[in-house]
Every structure is written in C-alpha cells, then in structure tokens.
Amino acid sequence: MPELPEVETIVRRFRPRLLRKRIAGFEASWPRQISPSVARVRRAVCGRRILELARRGKLIVIHLDDGSALLLHLKMSGRLAWVDRSGVRLPEPHERARLIMQGGERLLFCDARKFGRIRHVRDVEAALDALGPEPLSAGFDAARLLRMLGERRRRIKPLLLDQAFVAGLGNIYTDEALFRAGLHPLRRACDLDPNEVRRLRRAIRSVLRDGIRRCGTSIDWIYPGGRMQDYLRVYGRAGEPCPRCGTPIQRIMAGQRSTHLCPRCQPP
C-alpha cells in the first residue's frame, strides 16, 4: 500500500495538471469503489473547478470550488494515470473510474485488486477528523508525541500503523523509523522515555523526508519510479547484515504485520 511518501509524490506529480481544471464528467466501471454512488458523485463534481490537490495521511484530497472534495484512497494497488487532450495512451487494463476535464483530458483511477476507494464529501474537515496528526507538520513535536505515547500501552509498531494515532505511516517507513531510533517494535508505547521519544520523532520525520526526496519506494509493479528501496536499512532485508553492526536482520510478527529489525541495534 502506498504510504505517505508515495502519496505525496503522486500529489506533487498531478497537481500541476489538475489545478484550475473544470470537471466535465465522471465515469466508473466498478461502482462498489464509489461513495455515495456513481450517479451522486457525477452530479456533485460535474461543472466544479479543482482548487487544490492535497494529501492527508494516505489520502489524496481533490478540493472543489464549492467547498466539497473527492477523497481517493489507493489502498493495495490503486494508482493514477493521465490522458492528455490527444487521447493517446497505453492500454490501462485495470481502469476503474475516470474524471473527464473540459477539453478532453482525463484522470484515470486504476486498481488491479479493486480495494481502492473514491468518496465525495461535503464536509472535508469532518471526513478527515478521525485521522491522527501529520508527522511532518510543525505541530508534531516531541512534547506532543510524548503525551500521545504516554497514554497508550500498545506495542509501538502496531500503534504507529494506526492511522488514528499518526496519519501516513505504513509497514515500510515504520520499520525504518524504529531502526533509526534504535527502538524494538514490541516495546510498549508508554514505556518510552523522553530521550527515546525525541529519537523516534526525529527518525519518523527523517525517513519520511528521505522517502519523499527519493519519490517513494518501488518494490513491485504497482508503484513504479521510486528510489527509496535502494536505501532501506531493514525492511525486506531479513537474513542480510545490519548496515550498522553486521548482525543479521530478523523478521518477526508485530500486530499481525511482518516486521524487520536488528536485534542488536534495537534491543527489547
């Protein structure tokens, strides 16, 4: 599933193409992915102008000129494609929906596994209210994170994956951040001391910024073009030597998620 750096890369790539464009049509071939319905979304967006393309956690937010928005969640295999006015493009066998712009340009929503979602919302703030803080925002400081962690007895790895706790982190960048911070994934959140929390915050922000700078992580065909996979230190490297100490990287399960760590650099 694309995480914060991948979604941010997609938003930055498509923003110049979509800003100020007026939507002329909406079509979908897999209605289950569309909320509240294909017909209602079509009525809501046709004639509207796109004011901004943004990201909130792992969501792509298309802000419209009437104050409403389209929320796109790529889930496991979703991706976006663009068709210019010429209409010339490679075949898209997994196209599920499309936004048609005045002038003929099209934004395609492609999804092999059909888990992705497109949702039109009137109250954008309320629709996003359940998400936790943005880890790259100015408000995500060490004092706030210390308070948040101090209230939780959950293991740190599953807690960081909870989008209601922190928005945007997934399996890859959580493993990498915990390694950089020297924290074992099964430590209880409330047991971390202030110095460990400062290290964790610094590690989360640095690994996310590295991921954005390198256009995300490409480990399969679903999300191409990233370079971060060449710089991962623990994720997907079970049995390989730790880049710090040479100890073989271990793979364990944490909250039913495959988790990678160095047992020496991240003591329990």
Side-chain angles (χ1 to χ4, degrees), residues 130-266:
L131 292 174
E134 287 286 328
L136 293 179
S137 68
F140 188 73
D141 56 26
R144 181 180 185 181
L145 183 57
L146 181 62
R147 290 194 301 272
M148 292 167 59
L149 293 170
E151 299 169 351
R152 307 297 183 97
R153 291 186 53 80
R154 292 178 65 185
R155 309 291 183 180
I156 188 65
K157 166 71 184 281
L159 181 60
L160 291 176
L161 292 178
D162 185 346
Q163 298 303 293
F165 184 76
V166 178
L169 287 172
N171 218 27
I172 296 174
Y173 296 98
T174 299
D175 280 2
E176 292 295 307
L178 289 171
F179 173 76
R180 293 189 184 195
L183 298 174
H184 195 281
L186 297 182
R187 291 277 304 276
R188 290 197 182 277
C190 58
D191 291 339
L192 270 60
D193 64 40
N195 183 55
E196 291 173 322
V197 172
R198 285 191 292 270
R199 294 204 319 259
L200 177 60
R201 173 189 175 270
R202 194 162 52 241
I204 289 172
R205 291 164 71 92
S206 67
V207 75
L208 291 175
R209 285 171 174 154
D210 286 348
I212 293 171
R213 186 170 65 252
R214 292 169 177 141
C215 299
T217 302
S218 295
I219 55 177
D220 55 30
W221 60 270
I222 293 171
Y223 180 82
R227 304 186 305 278
M228 189 62 183
Q229 66 274 9
D230 298 327
Y231 299 89
L232 299 178
R233 301 177 187 178
V234 291
Y235 182 84
R237 298 187 61 237
E240 298 180 27
C242 170
R244 282 184 188 160
C245 69
T247 302
I249 299 298
Q250 285 186 355
R251 176 184 176 275
I252 64 171
M253 297 302 292
Q256 299 181 329
R257 299 297 298 274
S258 177
T259 299
H260 302 82
L261 72 148
C262 172
R264 182 174 180 182
C265 295
Q266 298 168 262

